[in-house]
């Protein structure tokens, strides 16, 4: 179903709905950020029908948007949050967090898996959470994210025939192109900048949370050169 479309969601949700699951900002979908009120409206809809609200924060969670969880920008709380990518800082781990009420549905051992609760992976995640706090990385994400967004906005002004929109939050940003992004990504790679393309035509920027403005400058310089020839 379409993202950020309350009418479309309302048409699907009823007393028979168990849960609504969505990303607070869509990653693979093309860095789609919902309207300010959308997540709160979805919460209301779920409450009306007794459905759980699950946020997939696998891309947005663990500081990516400048808060520990992206839902914290919205003023509402989901019942369940799923996490992975950033949680282990490169070490594979996935997790979900539930409200006290929902968590009572599980007892110890109900949801086992071979590597679930792996001590090494959990130690890595613990270290990640420690570093995020000790190094004030949430502040860094906000500051450097705003800087990156501003620099991308400048590129949009310079190349309006190529970039139609810059969107996202914190260090989860996208630049919507007027054509497929694959060649631009490949050419940036040849010059030493790893960026990515989602949804075919959205350049996606999800750098490490400890990136500096100097790193942003390097990427923007490379991207500028590549766009000039695109
Ligand atoms: C938002 C989101 N949800 C879920 C997944 C799947 O996660 P996993 O590979 O940990 O099952 C991904 C993977 O890219 C993702 O980006």
């Amino acid at each position: 179903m379409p993202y950020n479309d309350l009418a479309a969601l309302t048409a699907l949700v009823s007393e028979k709905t168990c849960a609504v699951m969505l990303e607070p900002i869509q990653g693979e979908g093309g860095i789609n950020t919902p309207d300010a009120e959308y997540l709160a409206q979805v919460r209301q809809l779920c409450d009306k029908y007794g459905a759980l609200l699950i946020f997939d924060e696998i891309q947005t969670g663990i500081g990516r948007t400048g808060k520990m969880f992206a839902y914290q920008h919205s003023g509402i709380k989901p019942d369940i949050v799923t996490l992975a990518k950033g949680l282990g800082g490169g070490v594979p781990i996935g997790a979900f967090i539930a409200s006290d009420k929902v968590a009572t549905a599980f007892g110890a051992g109900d949801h086992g898996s071979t590597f679930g609760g792996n001590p090494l992976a959990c130690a890595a995640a613990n270290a990640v959470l420690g570093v995020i706090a000790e190094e004030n990385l949430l502040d860094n994400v906000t500051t450097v994210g705003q800087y990156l967004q501003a620099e991308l906005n400048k590129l949009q002004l310079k190349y309006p025939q190529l970039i139609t929109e810059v969107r996202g939050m914190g260090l989860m940003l996208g630049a919507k192109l007027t054509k497929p992004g694959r060649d631009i990504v490949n050419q940036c790679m040849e010059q030493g900048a790893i960026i990515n393309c989602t949804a075919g035509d959205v350049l996606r920027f999800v750098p490490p949370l400890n990136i500096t403005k100097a790193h942003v400058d390097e990427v923007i310089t490379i991207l500028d050169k590549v766009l000039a020839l695109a």
Side-chain angles (χ1 to χ4, degrees):
M1 61 155 296
Y3 189 64
N4 191 32
D5 184 336
L6 188 67
L9 185 66
T10 304
L12 286 177
V13 173
S14 71
E15 288 83 4
K16 291 185 177 167
T17 306
C18 169
V20 173
M21 183 168 182
L22 50 79
E23 295 170 78
I25 297 175
Q26 279 189 326
E28 296 308 305
I31 313 293
N32 297 315
T33 307
D35 295 339
E37 292 306 310
Y38 181 66
L39 298 179
Q41 289 165 333
V42 176
R43 174 77 271 179
Q44 276 177 9
L45 189 65
C46 287
D47 289 345
K48 182 173 170 193
Y49 291 105
L52 294 181
L53 178 56
I54 305 175
F55 281 167
D56 176 343
E57 294 238 20
I58 284 175
Q59 290 201 26
T60 55
I62 313 296
R64 173 61 52 202
T65 68
K67 293 198 186 281
M68 190 53 88
F69 305 104
Y71 79 75
Q72 293 173 300
H73 296 284
S74 71
I76 55 117
K77 280 190 182 169
D79 301 293
I80 295 175
V81 171
T82 58
L83 297 171
K85 304 191 188 307
L87 181 59
V91 175
I93 185 170
F96 75 84
I97 304 173
S99 65
D100 287 343
K101 187 177 167 204
V102 171
T104 60
F106 280 129
D110 283 351
H111 187 62
S113 74
T114 304
F115 294 121
N118 177 273
L120 177 64
C122 291
N126 225 5
V128 165
L129 297 178
V131 167
I132 287 175
E134 282 155 27
E135 299 186 13
N136 285 325
L137 290 186
L138 297 184
D139 288 347
N140 192 63
V141 169
T142 303
T143 310
V144 181
Q146 281 167 357
Y147 181 68
L148 174 55
Q149 191 154 14
E151 291 300 304
L152 290 172
N153 284 334
K154 283 187 208 163
L155 287 182
Q156 184 191 353
L157 284 178
K158 192 168 172 186
Y159 303 105
Q161 78 286 7
L162 285 173
I163 301 178
T164 56
E165 191 186 3
V166 173
R167 59 198 186 208
M169 199 179 265
L171 285 174
M172 182 171 182
L173 298 172
K176 170 97 170 137
L177 302 171
T178 52
K179 60 184 202 170
R182 184 175 293 270
D183 288 348
I184 291 172
V185 166
N186 289 341
Q187 283 159 25
C188 285
M189 176 83 95
E190 276 171 25
Q191 301 206 33
I194 301 174
I195 53 176
N196 174 256
C197 178
T198 56
D201 60 0
V202 180
L203 297 180
R204 177 173 52 175
F205 302 84
V206 283
L209 307 191
N210 63 353
I211 193 175
T212 64
K213 288 185 180 175
H215 293 129
V216 169
D217 289 341
E218 275 185 53
V219 171
I220 293 292
T221 302
I222 291 172
L223 188 57
D224 191 356
K225 274 193 224 158
V226 168
L227 291 175
L229 300 172

